Amino acid sequence: MRVVVVGGGIVGLSSASALADRGADVVLCERDSLGSGSTARALGGIRAQFSTAVNVDLTLASRPVWESFEERFGVDIAFRQTGYLLLARTEETAAGLERQVELQRERGAETALLTPEEATEYCEGVDPDEIAAATYNPRDGFADPYLALQGYADAARERGVDIRTGTAVTDVRLDDGRVVGVDATGEGAPSDGAIDADAVVNAAGPWAGELAAMAGLDLPIEPQRRQALVVDPERPVPESDPLTIDLETSSHFRPERDGAAVVGGYFADAPETPDPDSFSESFDVAWAAETVERAGVYCDYFGDETRLKRGWAGLYAVTPDHHPILEESFPGFVQAVGFSGHGFQHAPATGQVVAELLLDGEASTVDVSDLGSDRFERGELLHERNVA
Ligand SMILES: Cc1cc2nc3c(=O)[nH]c(=O)nc-3n(C[C@H](O)[C@H](O)[C@H](O)COP(=O)(O)OP(=O)(O)OC[C@H]3O[C@@H](n4cnc5c(N)ncnc54)[C@H](O)[C@@H]3O)c2cc1C
């Protein structure tokens, strides 16, 4: 089978690599350079602590790859398994965490419910008086997204994937309702622009809606701007600290090196939904001040002496229920899109699922039957409570 994968982010490269591993003949088209979309802007967080079964399953199916990445791909991705600590600051959120622990444990995750005092054993800066309960999973963590992307790119090349950067797909060609290839332009495109294929994988990240529209498909995917900040906190953050999230506000932080921390959160009433081709890639100063202030409410590392080092903005590709669309929409056209803030961590399982959808006709790594795009028309949206 000849497949064109559109998009050279972590999802496209994982998919291309998995397809080639199973014998497909794969061309990957990336209009810019590899990782130039959302992937290089991610924080690299990996967690099993989600509130829906399919999100937990996608993490648990991906985790073996993250835990043995260097053995498999020969690249050290700086994976630091210091866990995630989720904080509930109201009784209602605490009750939700209790239900989630049950779900996560049923599916095979090790998450534990903690009292406020126990939470401080994992993150000493957390103020126990500010929280009602917490959960912790020791096998959650974070890695460097760009290094992981390089690992997948090397593996894809070794398996024979023809990676064409500087090559934009401009149309998805159909014949009698099935995919027959794409039209492309740029340095890797043939002179007539046509690349024939039996299948096309949409892994175009924040541009996925545009790519789907080329095949006449209307998908509810919105690019939403998100920011991140590196700070030198007033009190250094120990490198052994977990990635900590205040579920009430989405404020979160994780340790960097030498006491520094990456801090983030999304506090606006309405999302910013810019054109993915032209949005501000630097952070907003007012947002930065609010972000540090909000982290300081529940964690005493972030006092008034906290200093900003640098920051950036990138895009989430968001669906109405913050879950991806993973399906073969019609013969030969697969969507691996709309991952919100979770596309990095779910990329290993996603690549396997994409290969299974095309080569086996159904997914076996994870049951993705809830992730079809028809859920929006049917009004059967999923509900992820833990979004940051
Ligand atoms: C601030 C921030 C923090 C985040 N933190 C995390 C985190 O902690 N954990 C996590 O799991 N996720 C996180 N994410 C989300 C994560 O970055 C994304 O879900 C993930 O990178 C999506 O990967 P992708 O390959 O689908 O998309 P992308 O990396 O955006 O790749 C899509 C690629 O498609 C290319 N493309 C688009 N259209 C075309 C076309 N027509 N022809 C050819 N190429 C095309 C683009 O140039 C782009 O390179 C974060 C995101 C942001 C912005």
Side-chain angles (χ1 to χ4, degrees):
M1 178 183 277
R2 187 168 157 87
V3 185
V4 173
V5 174
V6 186
I10 194 88
V11 172
L13 282 159
S14 164
S15 302
S17 173
L19 280 160
D21 204 32
R22 293 196 49 194
D25 177 11
V26 184
V27 177
L28 182 144
C29 295
E30 164 54 54
R31 61 183 200 160
D32 198 329
S33 54
L34 298 181
S36 58
S38 300
T39 298
R41 296 166 184 280
L43 297 187
I46 298 162
R47 59 168 155 130
Q49 294 184 71
F50 285 102
S51 70
T52 64
V54 69
N55 270 342
V56 178
D57 292 352
L58 284 166
T59 298
L60 293 182
S62 298
R63 195 167 69 179
V65 175
W66 298 128
E67 289 183 333
S68 62
F69 201 89
E70 193 166 1
E71 283 150 52
R72 291 175 193 236
F73 296 93
V75 176
D76 176 1
I77 55 170
F79 183 39
R80 290 159 68 186
Q81 219 159 5
T82 56
Y84 260 58
L85 182 69
L86 268 49
L87 307 177
R89 291 177 50 215
T90 64
E91 291 302 333
E92 192 193 345
T93 307
L97 279 185
E98 211 168 311
R99 287 192 296 274
Q100 288 174 31
V101 168
E102 218 166 287
L103 170 92
Q104 289 161 22
R105 294 186 74 93
E106 262 170 34
R107 309 204 78 77
E110 320 59 12
T111 313
L113 187 67
L114 307 179
T115 62
E117 288 301 334
E118 285 168 338
T120 65
E121 290 168 23
Y122 296 96
C123 180
E124 63 181 52
V126 162
D127 179 353
D129 295 335
E130 281 293 327
I131 63 174
T135 56
Y136 178 75
N137 186 310
R139 287 175 73 183
D140 292 345
F142 50 91
D144 183 314
Y146 197 71
L147 293 174
L149 178 101
Q150 293 303 328
Y152 270 115
D154 292 348
R157 282 193 193 93
E158 269 162 31
R159 289 164 192 176
V161 175
D162 177 3
I163 296 181
R164 303 188 191 181
T165 52
T167 306
V169 167
T170 54
D171 201 8
V172 177
R173 286 189 289 115
L174 305 174
D175 185 20
D176 203 16
R178 69 160 301 134
V179 163
V180 292
V182 298
D183 287 332
T185 181
E187 55 197 62
S191 51
D192 66 353
I195 305 175
D196 295 336
D198 306 301
V200 170
V201 176
N202 181 358
W207 295 266
E210 285 175 24
L211 204 278
M214 291 177 197
L217 207 59
D218 182 16
L219 295 183
I221 303 168
E222 191 172 68
Q224 294 189 5
R225 185 167 171 270
R226 291 290 195 281
Q227 306 176 70
L229 203 64
V230 182
V231 300
D232 266 331
E234 186 174 291
R235 267 184 71 195
V237 177
E239 284 181 23
S240 56
D241 265 19
L243 196 154
T244 301
I245 306 180
D246 166 16
L247 291 174
E248 245 62 56
T249 65
S250 90
S251 163
H252 55 273
F253 69 90
R254 68 158 170 79
E256 269 284 277
R257 301 283 182 198
D258 303 321
V262 185
V263 196
Y266 173 71
F267 314 117
D269 293 336
E272 245 184 286
T273 57
D275 176 348
D277 290 318
S278 59
F279 68 97
S280 166
E281 295 180 24
S282 49
F283 69 95
D284 307 335
V285 176
W287 170 84
E290 182 175 4
T291 298
V292 172
E293 197 182 308
R294 287 195 183 251
V297 170
Y298 60 90
C299 185
D300 76 0
Y301 301 143
F302 303 99
D304 292 345
E305 296 303 309
T306 299
R307 289 184 201 291
L308 307 190
K309 288 174 70 140
R310 62 193 171 85
W312 65 92
L315 298 173
Y316 279 14
V318 180
T319 64
D321 63 5
H322 298 270
H323 282 73
I325 299 169
L326 254 174
E327 67 174 9
E328 184 173 17
S329 306
F330 53 79
F333 194 37
V334 167
Q335 315 303 317
V337 301
F339 287 90
S340 194
H342 321 132
F344 166 71
Q345 61 199 287
H346 289 161
T350 300
Q352 295 295 335
V353 165
V354 165
E356 288 158 6
L357 288 172
L358 279 174
L359 301 174
D360 307 332
E362 63 180 348
S364 48
T365 294
V366 173
D367 177 0
V368 294
S369 49
D370 286 346
L371 299 181
S373 59
D374 59 351
R375 69 183 189 269
F376 304 111
E377 286 125 53
R378 287 188 277 113
E380 288 173 14
L381 273 63
L382 299 157
H383 185 52
E384 177 55 64
R385 297 169 68 97
N386 304 342
V387 284

Short mmCIF file of all heavy atoms in Angstrom, two decimals, residues 243-290:
data_model
loop_
_atom_site.label_atom_id
_atom_site.label_comp_id
_atom_site.label_asym_id
_atom_site.label_seq_id
_atom_site.Cartn_x
_atom_site.Cartn_y
_atom_site.Cartn_z
N LEU A 243 5.10 17.17 37.69
CA LEU A 243 4.34 18.18 36.98
C LEU A 243 3.03 18.35 37.76
O LEU A 243 2.32 17.37 37.99
CB LEU A 243 4.07 17.75 35.53
CG LEU A 243 3.62 18.88 34.60
CD1 LEU A 243 3.98 18.57 33.16
CD2 LEU A 243 2.17 19.25 34.74
N THR A 244 2.78 19.54 38.23
CA THR A 244 1.69 19.79 39.17
C THR A 244 0.63 20.67 38.50
O THR A 244 0.98 21.68 37.88
CB THR A 244 2.27 20.47 40.43
OG1 THR A 244 3.26 19.60 40.99
CG2 THR A 244 1.19 20.76 41.47
N ILE A 245 -0.62 20.25 38.60
CA ILE A 245 -1.71 21.01 37.96
C ILE A 245 -2.78 21.35 38.98
O ILE A 245 -3.26 20.46 39.71
CB ILE A 245 -2.41 20.20 36.83
CG1 ILE A 245 -1.40 19.68 35.81
CG2 ILE A 245 -3.47 21.05 36.13
CD1 ILE A 245 -2.03 18.87 34.68
N ASP A 246 -3.19 22.61 39.02
CA ASP A 246 -4.34 23.04 39.80
C ASP A 246 -5.57 22.89 38.89
O ASP A 246 -5.75 23.67 37.96
CB ASP A 246 -4.14 24.50 40.23
CG ASP A 246 -5.42 25.13 40.75
OD1 ASP A 246 -6.38 24.39 41.06
OD2 ASP A 246 -5.46 26.37 40.85
N LEU A 247 -6.37 21.86 39.15
CA LEU A 247 -7.48 21.57 38.23
C LEU A 247 -8.55 22.67 38.23
O LEU A 247 -9.32 22.78 37.29
CB LEU A 247 -8.13 20.24 38.60
CG LEU A 247 -7.26 19.01 38.33
CD1 LEU A 247 -7.94 17.76 38.85
CD2 LEU A 247 -6.94 18.86 36.84
N GLU A 248 -8.56 23.50 39.27
CA GLU A 248 -9.58 24.57 39.32
C GLU A 248 -9.32 25.65 38.27
O GLU A 248 -10.24 26.23 37.72
CB GLU A 248 -9.60 25.20 40.72
CG GLU A 248 -10.88 24.97 41.47
CD GLU A 248 -11.17 23.50 41.73
OE1 GLU A 248 -10.32 22.80 42.33
OE2 GLU A 248 -12.24 23.05 41.32
N THR A 249 -8.04 25.93 38.03
CA THR A 249 -7.72 27.07 37.14
C THR A 249 -6.94 26.66 35.90
O THR A 249 -6.72 27.48 35.02
CB THR A 249 -6.84 28.10 37.88
OG1 THR A 249 -5.59 27.48 38.19
CG2 THR A 249 -7.52 28.61 39.13
N SER A 250 -6.43 25.44 35.85
CA SER A 250 -5.53 24.92 34.80
C SER A 250 -4.10 25.42 34.97
O SER A 250 -3.23 25.12 34.15
CB SER A 250 -6.04 25.19 33.38
OG SER A 250 -5.55 26.42 32.89
N SER A 251 -3.82 26.18 36.01
CA SER A 251 -2.44 26.61 36.29
C SER A 251 -1.58 25.36 36.53
O SER A 251 -1.99 24.45 37.24
CB SER A 251 -2.44 27.49 37.54
OG SER A 251 -1.12 27.61 38.06
N HIS A 252 -0.39 25.35 35.93
CA HIS A 252 0.48 24.18 36.11
C HIS A 252 1.94 24.57 36.02
O HIS A 252 2.28 25.62 35.47
CB HIS A 252 0.16 23.09 35.06
CG HIS A 252 0.23 23.56 33.65
ND1 HIS A 252 -0.84 24.14 33.00
CD2 HIS A 252 1.25 23.56 32.75
CE1 HIS A 252 -0.50 24.45 31.76
NE2 HIS A 252 0.76 24.12 31.58
N PHE A 253 2.80 23.71 36.56
CA PHE A 253 4.24 23.94 36.44
C PHE A 253 4.96 22.59 36.51
O PHE A 253 4.42 21.60 36.99
CB PHE A 253 4.75 24.89 37.54
CG PHE A 253 4.72 24.30 38.91
CD1 PHE A 253 5.81 23.59 39.41
CD2 PHE A 253 3.60 24.43 39.71
CE1 PHE A 253 5.78 23.03 40.69
CE2 PHE A 253 3.55 23.87 40.98
CZ PHE A 253 4.65 23.17 41.47
N ARG A 254 6.17 22.61 35.97
CA ARG A 254 7.04 21.45 36.14
C ARG A 254 8.47 21.94 36.30
O ARG A 254 8.80 23.04 35.85
CB ARG A 254 6.92 20.48 34.97
CG ARG A 254 7.46 20.99 33.63
CD ARG A 254 7.77 19.81 32.74
NE ARG A 254 8.09 20.14 31.37
CZ ARG A 254 9.27 20.59 30.95
NH1 ARG A 254 10.21 20.87 31.82
NH2 ARG A 254 9.49 20.80 29.67
N PRO A 255 9.31 21.13 36.95
CA PRO A 255 10.69 21.59 37.12
C PRO A 255 11.44 21.61 35.80
O PRO A 255 11.20 20.76 34.93
CB PRO A 255 11.30 20.55 38.07
CG PRO A 255 10.44 19.34 37.94
CD PRO A 255 9.07 19.81 37.56
N GLU A 256 12.33 22.59 35.63
CA GLU A 256 13.35 22.55 34.57
C GLU A 256 14.63 22.12 35.28
O GLU A 256 14.57 21.38 36.24
CB GLU A 256 13.50 23.96 33.97
CG GLU A 256 12.59 24.20 32.77
CD GLU A 256 13.09 23.52 31.51
OE1 GLU A 256 13.97 24.06 30.83
OE2 GLU A 256 12.55 22.42 31.22
N ARG A 257 15.75 22.64 34.87
CA ARG A 257 17.01 22.34 35.56
C ARG A 257 17.37 23.49 36.50
O ARG A 257 16.91 24.61 36.32
CB ARG A 257 18.13 22.15 34.53
CG ARG A 257 17.86 21.04 33.53
CD ARG A 257 18.09 19.68 34.15
NE ARG A 257 17.86 18.62 33.17
CZ ARG A 257 17.64 17.36 33.50
NH1 ARG A 257 17.59 16.97 34.76
NH2 ARG A 257 17.46 16.44 32.56
N ASP A 258 18.22 23.21 37.46
CA ASP A 258 18.81 24.25 38.32
C ASP A 258 17.78 25.13 39.02
O ASP A 258 17.97 26.35 39.12
CB ASP A 258 19.78 25.13 37.51
CG ASP A 258 20.87 24.30 36.85
OD1 ASP A 258 21.33 23.34 37.51
OD2 ASP A 258 21.22 24.58 35.69
N GLY A 259 16.67 24.56 39.44
CA GLY A 259 15.68 25.31 40.22
C GLY A 259 14.67 26.07 39.39
O GLY A 259 13.70 26.61 39.92
N ALA A 260 14.89 26.15 38.09
CA ALA A 260 13.93 26.86 37.23
C ALA A 260 12.68 26.00 37.03
O ALA A 260 12.66 24.81 37.37
CB ALA A 260 14.57 27.17 35.87
N ALA A 261 11.62 26.63 36.52
CA ALA A 261 10.37 25.90 36.28
C ALA A 261 9.73 26.39 34.99
O ALA A 261 9.92 27.54 34.59
CB ALA A 261 9.40 26.11 37.45
N VAL A 262 8.98 25.49 34.35
CA VAL A 262 8.10 25.90 33.25
C VAL A 262 6.71 26.05 33.84
O VAL A 262 6.25 25.14 34.54
CB VAL A 262 8.07 24.85 32.12
CG1 VAL A 262 7.24 25.37 30.95
CG2 VAL A 262 9.45 24.51 31.65
N VAL A 263 6.07 27.17 33.57
CA VAL A 263 4.76 27.46 34.15
C VAL A 263 3.79 27.76 33.01
O VAL A 263 4.17 28.35 31.99
CB VAL A 263 4.84 28.71 35.05
CG1 VAL A 263 3.61 28.80 35.96
CG2 VAL A 263 6.09 28.72 35.87
N GLY A 264 2.53 27.36 33.20
CA GLY A 264 1.54 27.65 32.16
C GLY A 264 0.15 27.69 32.73
O GLY A 264 -0.06 27.61 33.95
N GLY A 265 -0.81 27.80 31.84
CA GLY A 265 -2.21 27.85 32.25
C GLY A 265 -2.98 28.69 31.24
O GLY A 265 -2.39 29.47 30.48
N TYR A 266 -4.27 28.49 31.26
CA TYR A 266 -5.11 29.17 30.28
C TYR A 266 -6.28 29.78 31.04
O TYR A 266 -7.11 29.06 31.59
CB TYR A 266 -5.58 28.13 29.25
CG TYR A 266 -6.56 28.69 28.31
CD1 TYR A 266 -6.15 29.60 27.36
CD2 TYR A 266 -7.91 28.34 28.38
CE1 TYR A 266 -7.07 30.17 26.50
CE2 TYR A 266 -8.82 28.90 27.53
CZ TYR A 266 -8.39 29.81 26.59
OH TYR A 266 -9.29 30.38 25.76
N PHE A 267 -6.30 31.11 31.09
CA PHE A 267 -7.22 31.77 32.03
C PHE A 267 -8.27 32.66 31.36
O PHE A 267 -9.09 33.26 32.04
CB PHE A 267 -6.42 32.61 33.04
CG PHE A 267 -5.23 31.86 33.60
CD1 PHE A 267 -3.93 32.31 33.37
CD2 PHE A 267 -5.40 30.69 34.32
CE1 PHE A 267 -2.84 31.61 33.86
CE2 PHE A 267 -4.32 29.98 34.81
CZ PHE A 267 -3.03 30.44 34.59
N ALA A 268 -8.21 32.78 30.04
CA ALA A 268 -9.13 33.70 29.37
C ALA A 268 -10.55 33.13 29.36
O ALA A 268 -10.74 31.91 29.43
CB ALA A 268 -8.65 33.94 27.94
N ASP A 269 -11.54 34.00 29.26
CA ASP A 269 -12.94 33.55 29.21
C ASP A 269 -13.24 32.85 27.89
O ASP A 269 -13.94 31.85 27.84
CB ASP A 269 -13.90 34.73 29.37
CG ASP A 269 -13.78 35.31 30.77
OD1 ASP A 269 -13.36 34.56 31.66
OD2 ASP A 269 -14.08 36.51 30.94
N ALA A 270 -12.71 33.41 26.80
CA ALA A 270 -12.98 32.83 25.47
C ALA A 270 -11.64 32.50 24.82
O ALA A 270 -10.66 33.24 24.99
CB ALA A 270 -13.73 33.84 24.62
N PRO A 271 -11.57 31.38 24.10
CA PRO A 271 -10.29 31.00 23.50
C PRO A 271 -9.86 31.95 22.38
O PRO A 271 -10.70 32.53 21.70
CB PRO A 271 -10.57 29.61 22.93
CG PRO A 271 -12.05 29.51 22.81
CD PRO A 271 -12.64 30.43 23.82
N GLU A 272 -8.55 32.09 22.26
CA GLU A 272 -8.00 32.84 21.14
C GLU A 272 -7.83 31.86 19.99
O GLU A 272 -7.14 30.85 20.14
CB GLU A 272 -6.60 33.30 21.54
CG GLU A 272 -6.41 34.78 21.67
CD GLU A 272 -4.95 35.05 21.97
OE1 GLU A 272 -4.53 34.79 23.11
OE2 GLU A 272 -4.24 35.49 21.06
N THR A 273 -8.44 32.13 18.86
CA THR A 273 -8.43 31.16 17.75
C THR A 273 -7.82 31.80 16.50
O THR A 273 -8.54 32.11 15.55
CB THR A 273 -9.86 30.69 17.45
OG1 THR A 273 -10.66 31.84 17.14
CG2 THR A 273 -10.48 29.98 18.64
N PRO A 274 -6.51 31.98 16.52
CA PRO A 274 -5.89 32.71 15.41
C PRO A 274 -5.75 31.88 14.14
O PRO A 274 -5.91 30.65 14.17
CB PRO A 274 -4.51 33.04 15.97
CG PRO A 274 -4.22 31.93 16.91
CD PRO A 274 -5.53 31.49 17.49
N ASP A 275 -5.43 32.57 13.06
CA ASP A 275 -5.03 31.91 11.82
C ASP A 275 -3.70 31.21 12.10
O ASP A 275 -2.74 31.86 12.52
CB ASP A 275 -4.87 33.00 10.74
CG ASP A 275 -4.38 32.44 9.42
OD1 ASP A 275 -3.95 31.26 9.39
OD2 ASP A 275 -4.41 33.19 8.43
N PRO A 276 -3.60 29.88 11.90
CA PRO A 276 -2.35 29.20 12.24
C PRO A 276 -1.15 29.67 11.40
O PRO A 276 0.00 29.41 11.77
CB PRO A 276 -2.66 27.72 11.97
CG PRO A 276 -3.89 27.69 11.15
CD PRO A 276 -4.64 28.96 11.42
N ASP A 277 -1.42 30.38 10.30
CA ASP A 277 -0.31 30.89 9.50
C ASP A 277 0.22 32.23 10.01
O ASP A 277 1.27 32.68 9.57
CB ASP A 277 -0.74 31.04 8.03
CG ASP A 277 -0.94 29.69 7.39
OD1 ASP A 277 -0.11 28.80 7.65
OD2 ASP A 277 -1.95 29.52 6.67
N SER A 278 -0.53 32.89 10.88
CA SER A 278 -0.05 34.19 11.37
C SER A 278 -0.60 34.43 12.77
O SER A 278 -1.70 34.95 12.92
CB SER A 278 -0.50 35.31 10.43
OG SER A 278 -1.90 35.32 10.33
N PHE A 279 0.14 34.01 13.76
CA PHE A 279 -0.26 34.30 15.14
C PHE A 279 0.99 34.70 15.92
O PHE A 279 2.11 34.42 15.49
CB PHE A 279 -0.95 33.09 15.79
CG PHE A 279 -0.04 31.91 16.03
CD1 PHE A 279 0.55 31.71 17.28
CD2 PHE A 279 0.25 31.01 15.02
CE1 PHE A 279 1.39 30.63 17.52
CE2 PHE A 279 1.11 29.94 15.25
CZ PHE A 279 1.67 29.75 16.49
N SER A 280 0.80 35.36 17.03
CA SER A 280 1.94 35.80 17.82
C SER A 280 2.56 34.60 18.54
O SER A 280 1.91 33.96 19.37
CB SER A 280 1.49 36.85 18.84
OG SER A 280 2.53 37.02 19.78
N GLU A 281 3.82 34.34 18.23
CA GLU A 281 4.51 33.19 18.82
C GLU A 281 5.25 33.55 20.10
O GLU A 281 5.89 32.71 20.71
CB GLU A 281 5.49 32.59 17.80
CG GLU A 281 4.75 32.02 16.60
CD GLU A 281 5.66 31.42 15.55
OE1 GLU A 281 6.78 31.00 15.87
OE2 GLU A 281 5.23 31.36 14.38
N SER A 282 5.19 34.83 20.49
CA SER A 282 5.82 35.20 21.76
C SER A 282 4.74 35.30 22.85
O SER A 282 3.55 35.38 22.54
CB SER A 282 6.59 36.51 21.63
OG SER A 282 5.78 37.46 21.02
N PHE A 283 5.16 35.30 24.11
CA PHE A 283 4.18 35.30 25.19
C PHE A 283 3.70 36.73 25.48
O PHE A 283 4.38 37.69 25.17
CB PHE A 283 4.76 34.64 26.44
CG PHE A 283 5.85 35.44 27.11
CD1 PHE A 283 5.57 36.30 28.15
CD2 PHE A 283 7.18 35.32 26.70
CE1 PHE A 283 6.57 37.05 28.78
CE2 PHE A 283 8.17 36.06 27.31
CZ PHE A 283 7.88 36.92 28.35
N ASP A 284 2.52 36.83 26.10
CA ASP A 284 1.97 38.12 26.48
C ASP A 284 2.42 38.45 27.90
O ASP A 284 2.29 37.59 28.80
CB ASP A 284 0.44 38.11 26.45
CG ASP A 284 -0.09 37.62 25.11
OD1 ASP A 284 0.63 37.76 24.10
OD2 ASP A 284 -1.22 37.07 25.08
N VAL A 285 2.87 39.66 28.12
CA VAL A 285 3.41 40.03 29.43
C VAL A 285 2.33 39.97 30.51
O VAL A 285 2.58 39.47 31.62
CB VAL A 285 4.05 41.44 29.34
CG1 VAL A 285 4.52 41.90 30.72
CG2 VAL A 285 5.22 41.41 28.37
N ALA A 286 1.12 40.43 30.20
CA ALA A 286 0.05 40.42 31.22
C ALA A 286 -0.29 38.98 31.59
O ALA A 286 -0.50 38.66 32.77
CB ALA A 286 -1.19 41.14 30.69
N TRP A 287 -0.33 38.11 30.59
CA TRP A 287 -0.60 36.68 30.86
C TRP A 287 0.50 36.11 31.76
O TRP A 287 0.23 35.35 32.70
CB TRP A 287 -0.69 35.91 29.54
CG TRP A 287 -0.71 34.43 29.76
CD1 TRP A 287 -1.79 33.65 30.04
CD2 TRP A 287 0.42 33.54 29.77
NE1 TRP A 287 -1.40 32.34 30.23
CE2 TRP A 287 -0.06 32.25 30.06
CE3 TRP A 287 1.79 33.72 29.55
CZ2 TRP A 287 0.79 31.15 30.14
CZ3 TRP A 287 2.64 32.62 29.63
CH2 TRP A 287 2.12 31.35 29.92
N ALA A 288 1.75 36.49 31.48
CA ALA A 288 2.88 35.96 32.26
C ALA A 288 2.73 36.34 33.73
O ALA A 288 2.91 35.51 34.63
CB ALA A 288 4.20 36.48 31.69
N ALA A 289 2.38 37.60 33.98
CA ALA A 289 2.24 38.05 35.37
C ALA A 289 1.11 37.28 36.06
O ALA A 289 1.25 36.82 37.20
CB ALA A 289 1.96 39.55 35.39
N GLU A 290 0.01 37.10 35.36
CA GLU A 290 -1.13 36.37 35.94
C GLU A 290 -0.76 34.91 36.21
O GLU A 290 -1.16 34.31 37.22
CB GLU A 290 -2.34 36.45 34.99
CG GLU A 290 -3.55 35.75 35.57
CD GLU A 290 -4.82 35.89 34.73
OE1 GLU A 290 -4.76 36.47 33.64
OE2 GLU A 290 -5.86 35.39 35.21
#
